[in-house]
Amino acid sequence: MLDEFDSEFESRYSCKFSRQQQDILKYLSAAQTRRLKEIAADMDTPSSSLTASMRDLTNTMTIDKPGEGRYGILDSVFRIWIARNILGNYE
């Protein structure tokens, strides 16, 4: 099923998002939801430097904040696509 979305998701991921946003999405795709401090640690950057990108991703309805301090990618198929194609996680 994911194969039919490859070109759409590839274009969306590489053209619509900044490099920092791509990295955030990459690390967010590893789980249903993650804390900002976990993402920042994976990126080896302070959480405060991600605030603008997180706000932009939330405003474009790419991610949401379902729980206190936790974020997740809204489109679960896009999340799985990123995990498979960007992280190389085929589980």
Side-chain angles (χ1 to χ4, degrees):
M1 176 181 152
L2 288 177
D3 293 335
E4 60 191 72
F5 294 107
D6 272 348
S7 62
E8 176 186 338
F9 286 157
E10 175 66 33
S11 174
R12 182 176 170 192
Y13 184 81
S14 60
C15 298
K16 184 177 179 181
F17 303 113
S18 70
R19 183 69 192 148
Q20 185 178 60
Q21 290 171 334
Q22 289 173 359
D23 287 344
I24 290 168
L25 291 170
K26 177 174 65 174
Y27 292 114
L28 258 179
S29 73
Q32 293 266 343
T33 63
R34 297 192 72 204
R35 295 193 174 283
L36 180 59
K37 67 180 179 181
E38 295 169 334
I39 298 163
D42 286 344
M43 293 174 64
D44 197 28
T45 190
S47 297
S48 59
S49 70
L50 303 179
T51 306
S53 287
M54 295 299 281
R55 184 182 58 245
D56 291 344
L57 288 167
T58 302
N59 289 342
T60 59
M61 295 176 26
T62 304
I63 66 171
D64 69 344
K65 194 174 179 181
E68 186 60 37
R70 299 195 71 83
Y71 293 87
I73 298 174
L74 278 170
D75 184 340
S76 60
V77 177
F78 186 45
R79 181 183 63 79
I80 293 166
W81 181 89
I82 294 170
R84 186 185 83 175
N85 292 283
I86 305 302
L87 285 180
N89 183 357
Y90 291 94
E91 294 179 34

